[in-house]
């Protein structure tokens, strides 16, 4: 009998202990943090039914202080504010969460940072970026094409459906990417997009902290960045600050009443981005641009809400630290609240002073795009910490230049004028340049499937100022002639999927033109990597003449002259007009033909082709 009573007592004590030490299924974001961060504040969002009514306390932990707990308009959220001083060590924080009927324990990890994490080097003009739509690149794991709980399954024959590309497919082709010479990977978003249709593009996030399981997992994303780093390749994450997907859990259960713009009801954006800089713009027009939704399935986030602003800032830092990123690309940059953007970029650049962030401002007007770059003195006093912006002006000008007849105001003069507008930018080396991307027709398509024009365009891209980005498959002339649908622009990479008869990696089934272009891109990329004049040298360009656009990239140790001839006949140019850059130069080496040029009194450029000359001084 005594033994039975003892057993009952132990069971009772165990039950009581479990009641007081139970770990409830709280949703916690961010899931962990790191000691030694530049900014000592951390805000942990806890989501659980009625958690706002609970009392939260932190058990003693040296160097960490509970500052307070904020609550919004929903009973299902609590925001725990902490101060983590510079002497705090890695370990585990323990929170007691006590409500009227329960007493739970929340354990929260604090990790040590990787050595030199704060000093990480972001992408720069020394890099060549390879842009990939993961769903359309390669299917490395068919087992994750359909995942329980995910609303959209594979539709490989539908241009707007999921084709099954994933992180493993990219990992499997990293050696190809390295062999081509690319040094950075920009993946369009791979985080969860649990939408019922058109989820393949990734821009309707339903979980900001989770890789979409049809792409892989958080751990596999980290494996990708590690495998890429071992090959000298960095990874740039595509981030969305402006909106989420309609199926994000915070749409139905908003933490605060003002979490979404227009009270959570659809009101379309005007796309009138110029209202941000326009000194005469009405407040109505500014609001409709900034607060309006892209589409009904993408609710616009209100970054003026302090809790949401902190959430987005911490989310970005978490991914940089967790996945060892070398950069961030921000989608629809100017559509977010500009005061928030200043705070967001400032926090990230304070944490990582050598980092790089590029913002998408889709405007061909450099006056609008340059407004956002760090160092720009704006009339309205706005100060930005955004390092890089995308050069849509040069892209549009180049397409027009190559498709137009040459005259005093058409053809190459468009490229010349676009680059002449560089005076508007505080840092032209940090302009991201490109021929095409995931939102526009392929450059081969835009240039009428003309191989010579496409080679001229690629030559300019990889020899002019800025940070060049090549869209996957451009190196093998992927084409969307006959359709401007995004699903056709984001065509499958040859050889990335079962049943493909063509393979860009092995070369199987590629046409002569495709192989020629692939080899040409590889060669140009290697030239840019070898010669620092092409990556960060001074640019001196000359007004177009006789169908030729020409410029010199000049470093301390060497100079390279580039001449681009779009005429249908060979052109011989006198070097008299180039004397300011040819003083002391007697001979040159043609880096495309790999041959010596013994005399520089004149230079012949074959029809529809380029000369890239390494100038040799006495």
């Amino acid at each position: 009998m005594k033994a039975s009573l003892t057993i009952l007592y132990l069971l009772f004590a165990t039950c009581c202990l479990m009641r007081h030490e139970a770990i409830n299924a709280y949703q916690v974001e961010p899931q962990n943090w790191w000691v030694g961060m530049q900014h000592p504040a951390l805000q942990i969002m806890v989501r659980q039914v009625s958690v706002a009514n609970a009392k939260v306390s932190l058990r003693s932990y040296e160097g960490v202080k509970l500052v307070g707990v904020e609550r919004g308009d929903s009973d299902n959220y609590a925001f725990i504010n902490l101060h983590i001083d510079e002497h705090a060590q890695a370990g585990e924080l323990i929170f007691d969460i006590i409500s009227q009927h329960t007493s739970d324990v929340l354990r929260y990890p604090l990790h040590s940072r990787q050595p030199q994490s704060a000093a990480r080097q972001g992408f720069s003009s020394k890099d060549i970026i390879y842009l990939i739509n993961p769903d359309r690149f390669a299917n490395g794991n068919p087992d994750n094409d359909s995942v329980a709980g995910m609303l959209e399954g594979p539709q490989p024959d539908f241009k707007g459906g999921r084709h099954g590309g994933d992180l493993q497919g990219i990992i499997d082709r990293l050696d190809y990417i390295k062999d081509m010479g690319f040094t950075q990977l920009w993946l369009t978003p791979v985080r969860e997009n649990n939408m019922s249709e058109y989820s393949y593009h990734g821009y309707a996030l339903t979980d900001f902290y989770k890789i979409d399981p049809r792409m892989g997992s958080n751990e596999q994303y980290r494996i990708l960045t590690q495998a890429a780093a071992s090959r000298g390749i960095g990874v740039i994450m595509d981030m969305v600050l402006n909106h989420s997907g309609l199926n994000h859990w915070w749409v139905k259960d908003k933490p605060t009443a003002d979490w979404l713009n227009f009270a959570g009801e659809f009101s379309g954006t005007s796309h009138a981005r110029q209202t941000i800089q326009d000194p005469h713009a009405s407040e109505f027009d500014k609001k409709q641009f900034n607060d309006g939704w892209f589409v009904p399935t993408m609710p616009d986030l209100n970054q003026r809400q302090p809790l949401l602003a902190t959430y987005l800032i911490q989310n970005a830092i978490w991914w940089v630290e967790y996945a060892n990123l070398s950069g961030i690309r921000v989608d629809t940059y100017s559509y977010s609240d500009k005061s928030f953007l200043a705070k967001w970029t400032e926090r990230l650049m304070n944490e990582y002073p050598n980092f790089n962030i590029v913002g998408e401002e889709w405007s061909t007007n450099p006056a609008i795009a340059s407004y956002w770059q760090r160092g720009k003195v704006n009339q309205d006093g706005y100060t930005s910490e955004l390092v890089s912006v995308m050069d849509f002006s040069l892209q549009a000008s180049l397409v027009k230049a190559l498709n137009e007849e040459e005259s005093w105001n058409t053809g190459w003069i468009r490229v010349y004028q676009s680059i002449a507008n560089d005076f508007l930018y505080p840092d032209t080396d940090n302009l991201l340049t490109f021929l095409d991307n995931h939102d526009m027709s392929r450059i081969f398509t835009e240039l009428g499937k003309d191989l010579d024009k496409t080679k001229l365009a690629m030559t300019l891209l990889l020899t002019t100022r800025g940070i060049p980005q090549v869209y996957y498959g451009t190196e093998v002339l992927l084409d969307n002639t006959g359709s401007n649908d995004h699903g056709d622009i984001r065509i499958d990479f040859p050889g990335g999927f079962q049943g493909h008869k063509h393979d860009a990696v092995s070369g199987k089934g590629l046409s002569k033109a495709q192989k020629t272009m692939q080899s040409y891109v590889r060669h140009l990329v290697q030239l840019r990597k070898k010669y620092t004049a092409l990556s960060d040298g001074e640019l001196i360009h000359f007004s177009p003449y006789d169908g030729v656009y020409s410029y010199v990239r000049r470093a301390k140790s060497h100079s390279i002259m580039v001449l681009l001839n779009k005429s249908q006949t060979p052109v011989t140019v006198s070097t008299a007009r180039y004397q300011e850059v040819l003083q002391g130069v007697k001979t040159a080496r043609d880096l495309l033909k790999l041959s010596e040029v013994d005399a520089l009194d004149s230079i012949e450029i074959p029809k529809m082709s380029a000369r890239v000359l390494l100038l040799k001084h006495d």
Side-chain angles (χ1 to χ4, degrees):
M1 182 68 177
K2 185 177 181 180
S4 298
L5 288 172
T6 301
I7 292 171
L8 287 171
Y9 174 78
L10 290 173
L11 288 171
F12 176 77
T14 302
C15 288
C16 290
L17 181 63
M18 289 178 65
R19 178 180 184 274
H20 289 288
E21 295 292 330
I23 301 177
N24 212 334
Y26 293 102
Q27 180 178 340
V28 178
E29 295 186 347
Q31 298 97 315
N32 67 273
W33 204 246
W34 294 266
V35 295
M37 302 296 284
Q38 178 71 23
H39 195 73
L42 171 65
Q43 185 174 90
I44 304 171
M45 187 191 75
V46 180
R47 181 173 177 244
Q48 174 64 291
V49 175
S50 300
V51 70
N53 300 318
K55 179 181 178 182
V56 179
S57 61
L58 171 67
R59 296 185 190 178
S60 178
Y61 192 101
E62 186 174 354
V64 180
K65 179 182 178 182
L66 176 62
V67 177
V69 179
E70 293 184 65
R71 295 165 175 84
D73 298 308
S74 169
D75 286 342
N76 301 326
Y77 298 88
F79 296 85
I80 302 173
N81 293 315
L82 301 177
H83 183 278
I84 305 173
D85 73 32
E86 58 184 337
H87 304 297
Q89 300 297 308
E92 186 178 66
L93 305 180
I94 301 178
F95 296 94
D96 290 300
I97 302 180
I98 302 172
S99 63
Q100 185 176 358
H101 301 293
T102 61
S103 178
D104 298 328
V105 167
L106 176 64
R107 300 180 183 275
Y108 191 82
L110 281 181
H111 297 321
S112 296
R113 303 176 75 182
Q114 293 296 317
Q116 299 300 307
S117 176
R120 71 183 62 237
Q121 181 62 53
F123 63 89
S124 72
S125 60
K126 295 181 174 63
D127 288 302
I128 304 97
I129 299 170
Y130 195 55
L131 165 59
I132 292 176
N133 281 112
D135 180 68
R136 304 301 172 87
F137 188 67
N139 190 346
N141 180 17
D143 291 341
N144 65 18
D145 291 356
S146 293
V147 176
M150 304 306 292
L151 298 176
E152 187 176 19
Q155 295 177 287
D157 296 327
F158 174 45
K159 59 187 176 183
R162 300 191 76 92
H163 290 192
D166 51 29
L167 296 179
Q168 188 60 52
I170 299 170
I171 293 170
D172 293 342
R173 285 157 182 79
L174 283 174
D175 286 337
Y176 167 77
I177 294 167
K178 178 184 178 182
D179 175 69
M180 287 298 300
F182 302 117
T183 59
Q184 296 284 341
L185 279 181
W186 159 20
L187 311 182
T188 55
V190 293
R191 286 179 285 176
E192 185 190 272
N193 270 238
N194 197 9
M195 304 292 288
S196 59
E197 58 183 0
Y198 289 95
S199 64
Y200 77 93
H201 56 70
Y203 288 97
L205 300 183
T206 54
D207 193 321
F208 279 66
Y209 278 96
K210 182 182 178 183
I211 297 297
D212 194 298
R214 293 160 296 188
M215 291 286 175
S217 65
N218 283 23
E219 183 56 32
Q220 192 172 34
Y221 185 73
R222 190 153 57 176
I223 290 171
L224 167 65
T225 62
Q226 291 169 348
S230 71
R231 294 166 172 82
I233 300 170
V235 175
I236 301 166
M237 177 173 267
D238 200 331
M239 292 194 175
V240 186
L241 305 176
N242 179 66
H243 52 266
S244 70
L246 188 65
N247 290 342
H248 196 290
W249 39 264
W250 63 33
V251 175
K252 291 183 179 180
D253 184 17
K254 295 188 287 294
T256 63
D258 59 350
W259 200 261
L260 304 176
N261 283 322
F262 284 104
E265 298 294 330
F266 174 72
S267 180
T269 178
S270 65
H271 298 289
R273 54 182 48 81
Q274 66 275 6
T275 57
I276 301 301
Q277 296 87 0
D278 181 1
H280 314 295
S282 67
E283 293 303 317
F284 175 89
D285 287 338
K286 292 179 183 178
K287 178 179 175 61
Q288 199 62 47
F289 166 64
N290 264 141
D291 293 2
W293 299 21
F294 250 71
V295 290
T297 54
M298 292 180 179
D300 206 73
L301 300 177
N302 176 21
Q303 301 94 6
R304 295 178 296 275
Q305 211 312 312
L307 296 172
L308 175 57
T310 299
Y311 180 96
L312 294 171
I313 290 169
Q314 292 182 165
N315 179 256
I317 293 171
W318 189 89
W319 279 108
V320 173
E321 204 69 30
Y322 173 82
N324 195 31
L325 301 178
S326 64
I328 293 172
R329 181 263 186 181
V330 183
D331 180 61
T332 58
Y333 190 81
S334 64
Y335 287 71
S336 295
D337 179 76
K338 71 177 188 177
S339 295
F340 159 77
L341 290 171
K343 295 174 185 175
W344 185 86
T345 51
E346 182 180 26
R347 268 291 302 276
L348 279 157
M349 296 310 298
N350 281 343
E351 291 289 355
Y352 311 103
N354 302 319
F355 198 56
N356 206 340
I357 307 168
V358 58
E360 179 199 31
E361 173 59 299
W362 194 328
S363 174
T364 58
N365 183 349
I368 290 177
S370 64
Y371 177 87
W372 300 104
Q373 193 176 34
R374 180 172 67 179
K376 183 65 179 288
V377 178
N378 290 306
Q379 183 188 47
D380 63 0
Y382 181 73
T383 301
S384 174
E385 289 297 322
L386 181 67
V387 184
S388 174
V389 293
M390 298 173 70
D391 194 351
F392 283 91
S393 171
L394 182 59
Q395 190 277 336
S397 298
L398 180 56
V399 171
K400 288 180 180 178
L402 289 170
N403 283 332
E404 292 177 340
E405 292 294 326
E406 200 71 13
S407 74
W408 70 274
N409 66 345
T410 59
W412 282 126
I413 192 64
R414 295 188 184 277
V415 171
Y416 179 84
Q417 289 173 341
S418 178
I419 293 177
N421 281 327
D422 279 1
F423 72 90
L424 292 166
Y425 294 99
D427 185 2
T428 53
D429 282 341
N430 262 309
L431 296 180
L432 192 145
T433 56
F434 55 98
L435 303 180
D436 49 10
N437 65 26
H438 58 296
D439 288 325
M440 56 178 60
S441 283
R442 297 275 177 170
I443 187 63
F444 188 54
T445 304
E446 288 290 285
L447 297 178
K449 298 196 288 188
D450 187 310
L451 176 62
D452 291 335
K453 287 183 179 180
T454 307
K455 289 171 70 176
L456 281 171
M458 189 62 72
T459 306
L460 177 74
L461 175 70
L462 291 172
T463 59
T464 193
R465 89 293 187 261
I467 308 167
Q469 166 249 296
V470 176
Y471 189 30
Y472 80 97
T474 293
E475 75 273 21
V476 290
L477 303 174
L478 290 191
D479 176 33
N480 61 282
T481 299
S483 170
N484 289 323
D485 188 275
H486 280 179
D488 290 320
I489 293 167
R490 302 159 186 171
I491 190 172
D492 289 351
F493 185 70
F497 299 83
Q498 188 175 7
H500 279 192
K501 297 179 180 180
H502 306 86
D503 190 334
V505 175
S506 69
K508 176 185 175 182
L510 296 185
S511 68
K512 181 181 178 181
Q514 286 179 303
K515 290 180 179 179
T516 297
M517 188 66 191
Q518 188 180 46
S519 178
Y520 192 73
V521 172
R522 184 186 290 113
H523 184 62
L524 282 173
V525 166
Q526 297 300 339
L527 289 180
R528 187 177 179 96
K529 291 170 69 175
K530 181 177 181 179
Y531 295 103
T532 58
L534 294 178
S535 59
D536 57 6
E538 178 189 11
L539 171 64
I540 304 163
H541 68 162
F542 295 82
S543 183
Y545 179 76
D546 204 14
V548 175
Y549 176 53
S550 53
Y551 49 94
V552 169
R553 301 297 308 276
R554 188 161 63 185
K556 289 182 179 179
S557 61
H558 63 281
S559 297
I560 292 177
M561 173 176 275
V562 180
L563 302 104
L564 305 171
N565 176 22
K566 58 170 282 197
S567 300
Q568 293 296 328
T569 57
V571 174
T572 299
V573 297
S574 169
T575 56
R577 67 193 302 250
Y578 301 121
Q579 286 309 301
E580 64 188 274
V581 294
L582 293 179
Q583 289 182 11
V585 177
K586 299 298 182 182
T587 60
R589 179 168 177 77
D590 190 316
L591 297 177
L592 295 180
K593 295 182 179 180
L594 301 180
S595 60
E596 301 300 320
V597 180
D598 295 328
L600 285 177
D601 293 333
S602 62
I603 302 172
E604 181 177 323
I605 312 128
K607 68 176 184 177
M608 293 298 295
S609 64
R611 301 291 299 273
V612 179
L613 306 177
L614 175 64
L615 305 179
K616 295 186 175 182
H617 294 262
D618 289 341

